[in-house]
mmCIF file of all heavy atoms in Angstrom:
data_model
loop_
_atom_site.group_PDB
_atom_site.id
_atom_site.type_symbol
_atom_site.label_atom_id
_atom_site.label_comp_id
_atom_site.label_asym_id
_atom_site.label_seq_id
_atom_site.Cartn_x
_atom_site.Cartn_y
_atom_site.Cartn_z
ATOM 1 N N VAL Z 1 105.763 107.482 15.419
ATOM 2 C CA VAL Z 1 106.668 108.440 15.856
ATOM 3 C C VAL Z 1 107.589 108.895 14.804
ATOM 4 O O VAL Z 1 108.148 108.041 14.189
ATOM 5 C CB VAL Z 1 107.428 107.904 17.114
ATOM 6 C CG1 VAL Z 1 108.364 108.914 17.642
ATOM 7 C CG2 VAL Z 1 106.473 107.486 18.208
ATOM 8 N N ALA Z 2 107.663 110.131 14.626
ATOM 9 C CA ALA Z 2 108.589 110.677 13.635
ATOM 10 C C ALA Z 2 109.318 111.913 14.208
ATOM 11 O O ALA Z 2 108.653 112.917 14.530
ATOM 12 C CB ALA Z 2 107.881 111.037 12.343
ATOM 13 N N ILE Z 3 110.667 111.747 14.318
ATOM 14 C CA ILE Z 3 111.481 112.878 14.971
ATOM 15 C C ILE Z 3 112.514 113.336 13.976
ATOM 16 O O ILE Z 3 113.341 112.477 13.620
ATOM 17 C CB ILE Z 3 111.988 112.480 16.286
ATOM 18 C CG1 ILE Z 3 110.919 112.153 17.198
ATOM 19 C CG2 ILE Z 3 112.895 113.605 16.867
ATOM 20 C CD1 ILE Z 3 111.421 111.428 18.529
ATOM 21 N N GLY Z 4 112.492 114.564 13.576
ATOM 22 C CA GLY Z 4 113.568 115.000 12.631
ATOM 23 C C GLY Z 4 112.887 115.662 11.408
ATOM 24 O O GLY Z 4 111.880 115.431 11.011
ATOM 25 N N SER Z 5 113.705 116.423 10.784
ATOM 26 C CA SER Z 5 113.276 117.231 9.557
ATOM 27 C C SER Z 5 112.945 116.259 8.509
ATOM 28 O O SER Z 5 113.628 115.271 8.100
ATOM 29 C CB SER Z 5 114.375 118.153 9.082
ATOM 30 O OG SER Z 5 114.016 118.698 7.841
ATOM 31 N N LEU Z 6 111.708 116.348 8.067
ATOM 32 C CA LEU Z 6 111.126 115.522 6.946
ATOM 33 C C LEU Z 6 111.043 113.981 7.325
ATOM 34 O O LEU Z 6 111.046 113.160 6.455
ATOM 35 C CB LEU Z 6 111.794 115.705 5.650
ATOM 36 C CG LEU Z 6 111.721 117.167 5.108
ATOM 37 C CD1 LEU Z 6 112.620 117.300 3.836
ATOM 38 C CD2 LEU Z 6 110.326 117.519 4.801
ATOM 39 N N ALA Z 7 111.147 113.680 8.632
ATOM 40 C CA ALA Z 7 110.992 112.267 9.028
ATOM 41 C C ALA Z 7 109.543 111.890 8.858
ATOM 42 O O ALA Z 7 108.618 112.700 9.055
ATOM 43 C CB ALA Z 7 111.376 112.048 10.456
ATOM 44 N N SER Z 8 109.270 110.602 8.494
ATOM 45 C CA SER Z 8 107.872 110.136 8.356
ATOM 46 C C SER Z 8 107.871 108.672 8.842
ATOM 47 O O SER Z 8 108.723 107.936 8.734
ATOM 48 C CB SER Z 8 107.410 110.257 6.885
ATOM 49 O OG SER Z 8 108.328 109.327 6.058
ATOM 50 N N SER Z 9 106.644 108.358 9.370
ATOM 51 C CA SER Z 9 106.480 107.041 9.887
ATOM 52 C C SER Z 9 105.098 106.555 9.647
ATOM 53 O O SER Z 9 104.131 107.302 9.835
ATOM 54 C CB SER Z 9 106.756 107.058 11.478
ATOM 55 O OG SER Z 9 106.501 105.729 12.049
ATOM 56 N N ALA Z 10 104.992 105.294 9.233
ATOM 57 C CA ALA Z 10 103.636 104.673 9.134
ATOM 58 C C ALA Z 10 103.135 104.256 10.361
ATOM 59 O O ALA Z 10 103.802 104.359 11.506
ATOM 60 C CB ALA Z 10 103.778 103.456 8.167
ATOM 61 N N GLU Z 11 101.931 103.706 10.398
ATOM 62 C CA GLU Z 11 101.272 103.160 11.632
ATOM 63 C C GLU Z 11 102.216 102.301 12.384
ATOM 64 O O GLU Z 11 102.850 101.347 11.845
ATOM 65 C CB GLU Z 11 99.997 102.598 11.281
ATOM 66 C CG GLU Z 11 99.164 102.041 12.443
ATOM 67 C CD GLU Z 11 97.939 101.323 11.999
ATOM 68 O OE1 GLU Z 11 97.506 101.586 10.804
ATOM 69 O OE2 GLU Z 11 97.344 100.699 12.869
ATOM 70 N N GLN Z 12 102.344 102.508 13.699
ATOM 71 C CA GLN Z 12 103.166 101.708 14.599
ATOM 72 C C GLN Z 12 104.679 101.566 14.140
ATOM 73 O O GLN Z 12 105.323 100.539 14.403
ATOM 74 C CB GLN Z 12 102.553 100.308 14.713
ATOM 75 C CG GLN Z 12 101.103 100.359 15.276
ATOM 76 C CD GLN Z 12 100.574 98.866 15.468
ATOM 77 O OE1 GLN Z 12 101.256 97.921 15.221
ATOM 78 N NE2 GLN Z 12 99.305 98.913 15.671
ATOM 79 N N GLY Z 13 105.078 102.649 13.560
ATOM 80 C CA GLY Z 13 106.549 102.696 13.150
ATOM 81 C C GLY Z 13 107.207 103.877 13.915
ATOM 82 O O GLY Z 13 106.526 104.722 14.394
ATOM 83 N N VAL Z 14 108.508 103.793 13.953
ATOM 84 C CA VAL Z 14 109.339 104.843 14.594
ATOM 85 C C VAL Z 14 110.457 105.248 13.610
ATOM 86 O O VAL Z 14 111.220 104.488 13.147
ATOM 87 C CB VAL Z 14 109.988 104.302 15.927
ATOM 88 C CG1 VAL Z 14 110.833 105.444 16.535
ATOM 89 C CG2 VAL Z 14 108.860 103.858 16.902
ATOM 90 N N ALA Z 15 110.447 106.549 13.338
ATOM 91 C CA ALA Z 15 111.527 107.174 12.485
ATOM 92 C C ALA Z 15 112.201 108.335 13.289
ATOM 93 O O ALA Z 15 111.534 109.203 13.635
ATOM 94 C CB ALA Z 15 110.945 107.683 11.215
ATOM 95 N N VAL Z 16 113.565 108.193 13.464
ATOM 96 C CA VAL Z 16 114.254 109.240 14.185
ATOM 97 C C VAL Z 16 115.450 109.674 13.307
ATOM 98 O O VAL Z 16 116.312 108.847 12.958
ATOM 99 C CB VAL Z 16 114.747 108.747 15.525
ATOM 100 C CG1 VAL Z 16 115.575 109.812 16.231
ATOM 101 C CG2 VAL Z 16 113.621 108.187 16.387
ATOM 102 N N GLY Z 17 115.442 110.921 12.880
ATOM 103 C CA GLY Z 17 116.539 111.354 11.990
ATOM 104 C C GLY Z 17 115.994 112.177 10.851
ATOM 105 O O GLY Z 17 115.009 111.877 10.266
ATOM 106 N N ASN Z 18 116.756 113.106 10.393
ATOM 107 C CA ASN Z 18 116.325 113.897 9.158
ATOM 108 C C ASN Z 18 116.182 112.989 8.030
ATOM 109 O O ASN Z 18 117.075 112.102 7.741
ATOM 110 C CB ASN Z 18 117.332 114.925 8.871
ATOM 111 C CG ASN Z 18 117.384 116.118 9.967
ATOM 112 O OD1 ASN Z 18 116.496 116.154 10.758
ATOM 113 N ND2 ASN Z 18 118.407 116.891 9.892
ATOM 114 N N PHE Z 19 115.070 113.099 7.284
ATOM 115 C CA PHE Z 19 114.715 112.354 6.139
ATOM 116 C C PHE Z 19 114.508 110.820 6.490
ATOM 117 O O PHE Z 19 114.444 109.988 5.545
ATOM 118 C CB PHE Z 19 115.721 112.439 5.030
ATOM 119 C CG PHE Z 19 116.008 113.881 4.607
ATOM 120 C CD1 PHE Z 19 117.059 114.594 5.098
ATOM 121 C CD2 PHE Z 19 115.039 114.558 3.895
ATOM 122 C CE1 PHE Z 19 117.321 115.852 4.763
ATOM 123 C CE2 PHE Z 19 115.306 115.870 3.441
ATOM 124 C CZ PHE Z 19 116.342 116.555 3.838
ATOM 125 N N ALA Z 20 114.492 110.415 7.712
ATOM 126 C CA ALA Z 20 114.233 109.055 8.034
ATOM 127 C C ALA Z 20 112.797 108.626 7.743
ATOM 128 O O ALA Z 20 111.878 109.420 7.871
ATOM 129 C CB ALA Z 20 114.543 108.778 9.621
ATOM 130 N N GLN Z 21 112.563 107.349 7.318
ATOM 131 C CA GLN Z 21 111.273 106.883 7.126
ATOM 132 C C GLN Z 21 111.057 105.506 7.785
ATOM 133 O O GLN Z 21 112.088 104.755 7.859
ATOM 134 C CB GLN Z 21 111.118 106.639 5.585
ATOM 135 C CG GLN Z 21 111.124 107.719 4.723
ATOM 136 C CD GLN Z 21 110.997 107.341 3.232
ATOM 137 O OE1 GLN Z 21 109.829 107.067 2.825
ATOM 138 N NE2 GLN Z 21 111.990 107.323 2.421
ATOM 139 N N ALA Z 22 109.900 105.160 8.210
ATOM 140 C CA ALA Z 22 109.636 103.940 8.859
ATOM 141 C C ALA Z 22 108.280 103.422 8.363
ATOM 142 O O ALA Z 22 107.337 104.129 8.526
ATOM 143 C CB ALA Z 22 109.708 104.075 10.406
ATOM 144 N N GLY Z 23 108.322 102.295 7.798
ATOM 145 C CA GLY Z 23 107.078 101.613 7.341
ATOM 146 C C GLY Z 23 106.359 100.975 8.466
ATOM 147 O O GLY Z 23 106.792 101.120 9.667
ATOM 148 N N LEU Z 24 105.372 100.256 8.242
ATOM 149 C CA LEU Z 24 104.500 99.602 9.262
ATOM 150 C C LEU Z 24 105.357 98.678 10.068
ATOM 151 O O LEU Z 24 106.159 97.916 9.604
ATOM 152 C CB LEU Z 24 103.393 98.864 8.499
ATOM 153 C CG LEU Z 24 102.503 97.943 9.425
ATOM 154 C CD1 LEU Z 24 101.673 98.837 10.348
ATOM 155 C CD2 LEU Z 24 101.589 97.076 8.647
ATOM 156 N N LEU Z 25 105.231 98.867 11.411
ATOM 157 C CA LEU Z 25 106.005 97.992 12.345
ATOM 158 C C LEU Z 25 107.560 98.008 12.099
ATOM 159 O O LEU Z 25 108.209 97.091 12.304
ATOM 160 C CB LEU Z 25 105.553 96.604 12.335
ATOM 161 C CG LEU Z 25 104.016 96.337 12.587
ATOM 162 C CD1 LEU Z 25 103.628 94.938 12.342
ATOM 163 C CD2 LEU Z 25 103.659 96.871 14.034
ATOM 164 N N SER Z 26 108.014 99.194 11.717
ATOM 165 C CA SER Z 26 109.465 99.411 11.375
ATOM 166 C C SER Z 26 110.080 100.352 12.271
ATOM 167 O O SER Z 26 109.408 101.259 12.807
ATOM 168 C CB SER Z 26 109.624 99.747 9.881
ATOM 169 O OG SER Z 26 109.247 98.742 9.079
ATOM 170 N N THR Z 27 111.372 100.307 12.451
ATOM 171 C CA THR Z 27 112.178 101.267 13.271
ATOM 172 C C THR Z 27 113.335 101.747 12.428
ATOM 173 O O THR Z 27 114.068 100.980 11.877
ATOM 174 C CB THR Z 27 112.681 100.648 14.520
ATOM 175 O OG1 THR Z 27 111.537 100.254 15.308
ATOM 176 C CG2 THR Z 27 113.452 101.729 15.406
#
């Protein structure tokens, strides 16, 4: 799940916020 401008998320990760990133199994 990636929500926000340029947010990115790896498999089973959640990133919420502009430029937010989430690696594997990360929030």
